[in-house]
Amino acid sequence: MNKTTLIVALLLFCIAAVVGYKLNNTNQKNVALLAASDPDCELRDGPCLAELPAGGSIEFSIEPHSIPLMKPLSLTINLRDIDATAAEIDFVGIGMNMGYNRPQLKKTGSTRFEGKTTLPVCILQRMPWEARLLLETDSGTVMAPFRFHTEKSPASQ
């Protein structure tokens, strides 16, 4: 490899790194309020609840409760004493980048949002995740984190 090729390769790498950084930062939300979720609640058993410090709560559920990989999942958010205009969920792999997965949910009632997503297969048998619910309100973005895990089925190995 000659010097010119090496310099061009380094420049392309640097440009790709800057573009990746900028794209990642445009996906970040400025969170105005953080809801506290119950760390012992297991989404695989049913809905979980997060409470806002000033009042109001967010109930989140995923169906089917087994949370299978590479299959459609139904997502439901029910709000109490929170007025949100939009909702999306950022699915983040804990300890492993699983790519960008932030479905937008549709408002189906004054306090309810619904949507669908599919989680990718991971190389790990048991993969920990965090679902970061992002609600747009008049006070800014409200975030509610919910932890759960997926299990790789024998068919997806």
Side-chain angles (χ1 to χ4, degrees):
M1 186 184 297
N2 64 29
K3 273 186 175 179
T4 305
T5 305
L6 181 61
I7 291 171
V8 169
L10 285 172
L11 283 173
L12 288 174
F13 175 77
C14 290
I15 290 170
V18 168
V19 168
Y21 174 78
K22 292 286 187 184
L23 284 175
N24 188 42
N25 282 346
T26 60
N27 292 330
Q28 301 299 318
K29 297 260 185 181
N30 291 328
V31 175
L33 294 167
L34 180 63
S37 55
D38 179 359
D40 295 326
C41 187
E42 177 57 61
L43 281 167
R44 295 170 69 88
D45 294 333
C48 290
L49 199 65
E51 304 274 342
L52 285 173
S57 64
I58 304 162
E59 181 187 76
F60 175 53
S61 65
I62 300 177
E63 291 191 12
H65 295 305
S66 61
I67 312 178
L69 299 169
M70 298 302 296
K71 302 232 169 144
L73 301 172
S74 295
L75 312 169
T76 305
I77 298 173
N78 287 301
L79 306 175
R80 185 178 53 86
D81 298 329
I82 301 171
D83 185 25
T85 57
E88 51 191 9
I89 303 174
D90 196 5
F91 286 94
V92 179
I94 304 299
M96 184 178 296
N97 184 345
M98 296 301 290
Y100 182 75
N101 186 352
R102 187 186 289 172
Q104 294 182 348
L105 280 66
K106 182 180 177 185
K107 193 166 190 173
T108 58
S110 62
T111 61
R112 185 178 177 94
F113 290 85
E114 296 177 347
K116 297 209 178 286
T117 198
T118 301
L119 294 177
V121 173
C122 178
I123 59 169
L124 300 176
Q125 179 65 33
R126 185 178 200 269
M127 177 67 194
W129 293 86
E130 184 170 82
R132 297 176 183 159
L133 279 59
L134 301 164
L135 305 173
E136 293 305 321
T137 70
D138 289 342
S139 303
T141 301
V142 174
M143 185 178 88
F146 293 90
R147 294 271 174 123
F148 65 97
H149 73 276
T150 55
E151 300 277 344
K152 191 179 341 178
S153 69
S156 63
Q157 293 183 13

